[in-house]
Amino acid sequence: MNAPNRSELFVLEDGEKAVEIIEDTKIPNAATIKVVKQDHTLANMLRSQLLATPSVLFAGYKVPHPLQPYFILKIQTDGTITPADVLQQACSKLIGTLTALEAKFKREFSFKDVEGAVVSEDPYGGPSTGGPTWAGGRDYLDF
Amino acid sequence: MQANAELEPSVHIRELKKDRVNFVLENVDLAFANSLRRVMMADLPTVAIDTVEVVSNTTVLPDEFIAHRLGMIPLVSANCDEAIRETRECTCDTACEYCAIPLSLNVACHDSRTLDITSNHLQYDPSVFNPQQESGAEGEELTKRVDNFGHPVGKNDPSLPPVLIAKIRKGQELKVRCLAKRGLAKEHAKWSPCSAVAFEYDPHNKLRHTTYWYETDPRAEWPLSDNAREEEPPRDDEPFDFNAKPQRFYFEVETDGSLGPQEVVMKVSKHPSASCHCAESLEFINM
């Protein structure tokens, strides 16, 4: 079996840098960014956030091979800002969105508690109402 | 997308149950919503049985079969980020109380009947650890655990039927020693806290992101989902808006019980790896 160890998909190796920026020599204000140990989850989110920035002329990403755990992000800007800076901006915007989302979720969950939809709280944060039960304590394996 | 950029995301929880949450997400773009879904499914740590030592197995099922079934049993993983460390990051030799949960199973049938071995037979058993082995560096992990951390979900809860592992008859027995470890679903799906994540947008297909196959009339042949009631149906004289972006995303997150639905959703926004990781690395480079 020559499949790579699956933990290599998300664990940085010793001394490995998470992000590497390669400036483009032929296209002005462009850079190729290699992000290691990340996949479409981050890449696609970043790409769409970059495209929403007016100073970005081009942003695109690819995962060159599904067995190699990295992606390549290409950015070209209009020259008012460097690709590295615009990427950093995009990241902090995304973090901002995530923080706002967390606050919204917290609020919504607290309403749900007040509304009495929750009888009591499990140790693992779930409210204990309903839940799947098979009739008579048997399940689908008991034909 | 650009109109969305200035708006804060908004969330409306439609239903919250013990094992599932149904919510509507607005004012984010498709890529963001999809990343949210991907993180919930594959990037949140839980604990699951990872190594199984078979002491005795005289059941009809082979060892590998039972080991696989044991791995799939959901274990209580509340606050997994702080309550247990990754074995590969622990300084111990193979496994210790900070990076593994010892569980054992010892069932024999002595009566003339079929006995079900279920997840309720799994016992917390520190003797699984090798006593000569040193444990890893001291940590606060043990104090952050709930009482039943690492125990099978629904153990001793009569309202939840246990997970069946094997059935044995008179004279058969199963004795195994297991170590449950922390992991991510990127490595093996047994570590996923979610059993299903439903994700839908644009139930009327106004954006034409999909093409329906049909005999005569797609509207008659393709039933609408319940989410379609929340959106206005398209008028026949409406021109196609090719600039439109998906606005509302309908989620239903169903967990296997290892984490509560509330914890799954809240963890996503705290998820460290994604963008924060990238931003930190960038700052490092720019310096």
Side-chain angles (χ1 to χ4, degrees):
Chain A
M1 299 287 250
N2 55 3
N5 186 351
R6 267 176 294 194
S7 67
E8 285 171 22
L9 288 174
F10 51 88
V11 183
L12 277 175
E13 263 137 67
D14 285 339
E16 194 175 31
K17 269 197 191 150
V19 182
E20 191 186 340
I21 300 185
I22 307 141
E23 299 274 342
D24 204 305
T25 50
K26 289 183 181 159
I27 312 165
N29 308 313
T32 306
I33 292 134
K34 183 181 172 186
V35 182
V36 211
K37 308 295 181 191
Q38 291 289 344
D39 59 7
H40 298 273
T41 307
L42 177 63
N44 194 25
M45 192 159 78
L46 273 179
R47 188 219 48 151
S48 93
Q49 184 64 51
L50 283 165
L51 287 175
T53 316
S55 52
V56 171
L57 298 183
F58 177 87
Y61 84 93
K62 69 173 172 184
V63 178
H65 193 282
L67 283 180
Q68 288 164 351
Y70 70 91
F71 69 84
I72 281 171
L73 185 66
K74 268 194 190 269
I75 308 174
Q76 188 185 12
T77 64
D78 58 6
T80 53
I81 185 168
T82 66
D85 286 343
V86 86
L87 178 60
Q88 187 141 26
Q89 255 181 32
C91 287
S92 28
K93 270 220 176 116
L94 278 178
I95 295 170
T97 316
L98 277 170
T99 320
L101 186 65
E102 187 188 356
K104 289 278 162 68
F105 264 118
K106 215 175 231 168
R107 228 171 65 112
E108 277 286 312
F109 276 119
S110 67
F111 284 156
K112 282 286 161 189
D113 286 354
V114 177
E115 276 169 21
V118 177
V119 175
S120 70
E121 192 97 335
D122 279 337
Y124 44 98
S128 58
T129 45
T133 41
W134 294 91
R138 308 300 283 174
D139 66 9
Y140 62 91
L141 284 171
D142 299 305
F143 297 115
Chain B
M1 214 184 305
Q2 293 196 335
N4 283 346
E6 306 311 316
L7 285 168
E8 287 219 323
S10 89
V11 175
H12 169 58
I13 296 178
R14 296 197 288 191
E15 190 189 29
L16 177 61
K17 283 195 176 158
K18 185 177 176 162
D19 65 335
R20 64 187 62 226
V21 59
N22 185 312
F23 62 90
V24 187
L25 183 64
E26 277 176 285
N27 297 333
V28 296
D29 50 52
L30 176 57
F32 186 90
N34 188 45
S35 293
L36 204 72
R37 178 190 65 84
R38 286 175 62 97
V39 169
M40 287 193 284
M41 292 203 300
D43 280 301
L44 303 178
T46 59
V47 286
I49 292 177
D50 196 36
T51 57
V52 176
E53 185 189 326
V54 179
V55 180
S56 142
N57 173 17
T58 50
T59 69
V60 292
L61 300 179
D63 296 357
E64 293 87 343
F65 197 120
I66 288 174
H68 181 245
R69 288 183 75 78
L70 285 167
M72 308 297 273
I73 295 170
L75 306 177
V76 174
S77 313
N79 197 19
C80 199
D81 284 317
E82 292 170 326
I84 189 165
R85 46 177 102 134
E86 291 278 358
T87 310
R88 68 175 87 85
E89 281 161 18
C90 191
T91 47
C92 66
D93 292 337
T94 49
C96 68
E97 70 265 34
Y98 296 113
C99 65
I101 306 288
L103 294 167
S104 71
L105 190 65
N106 186 358
V107 188
C109 183
H110 303 292
D111 309 318
S112 306
R113 63 183 181 94
T114 311
L115 179 69
D116 290 2
I117 305 179
T118 67
S119 58
N120 280 352
H121 288 111
L122 275 171
Q123 295 287 338
Y124 183 83
D125 179 8
S127 74
V128 174
F129 289 133
N130 183 350
Q132 270 112 54
Q133 232 159 48
E134 280 185 34
S135 56
E138 293 266 323
E140 289 182 340
E141 279 85 356
L142 301 182
T143 57
K144 307 248 173 162
R145 287 183 191 172
V146 290
D147 288 340
N148 58 347
F149 186 81
H151 293 226
V153 167
K155 192 178 176 182
N156 305 327
D157 179 357
S159 69
L160 276 176
V163 180
L164 183 66
I165 298 165
K167 292 189 177 189
I168 53 175
R169 60 171 288 172
K170 190 178 182 182
Q172 296 179 337
E173 73 161 358
L174 180 64
K175 216 187 258 186
V176 294
R177 289 138 57 85
C178 320
L179 282 175
K181 291 177 180 170
R182 171 180 156 168
L184 290 182
K186 276 184 181 173
E187 191 166 347
H188 191 291
K190 68 184 174 187
W191 277 300
S192 177
C194 300
S195 45
V197 181
F199 176 76
E200 186 183 26
Y201 63 92
D202 187 26
H204 292 288
N205 194 29
K206 282 184 195 167
L207 305 171
R208 304 192 192 170
H209 283 194
T210 188
T211 317
Y212 289 128
W213 178 91
Y214 60 93
E215 296 257 5
T216 46
D217 176 17
R219 284 204 198 161
E221 290 161 37
W222 289 91
L224 289 170
S225 76
D226 287 347
N227 298 327
R229 266 179 278 154
E230 302 228 352
E231 290 189 17
E232 239 174 78
R235 284 176 288 115
D236 285 327
D237 56 344
E238 205 173 355
F240 175 57
D241 180 2
F242 48 85
N243 283 320
K245 292 271 189 306
Q247 298 291 325
R248 292 163 66 81
F249 301 93
Y250 306 92
F251 281 82
E252 168 135 348
V253 182
E254 181 189 312
T255 72
D256 62 7
S258 52
L259 296 177
Q262 186 166 356
E263 191 171 352
V264 169
V265 174
M266 293 308 289
K267 279 254 186 79
V268 176
S269 28
K270 287 192 190 120
H271 183 57
S273 102
S275 43
C276 315
H277 197 72
C278 196
E280 273 164 29
S281 323
L282 275 171
E283 257 158 46
F284 182 72
I285 285 171
N286 287 351
M287 272 193 300

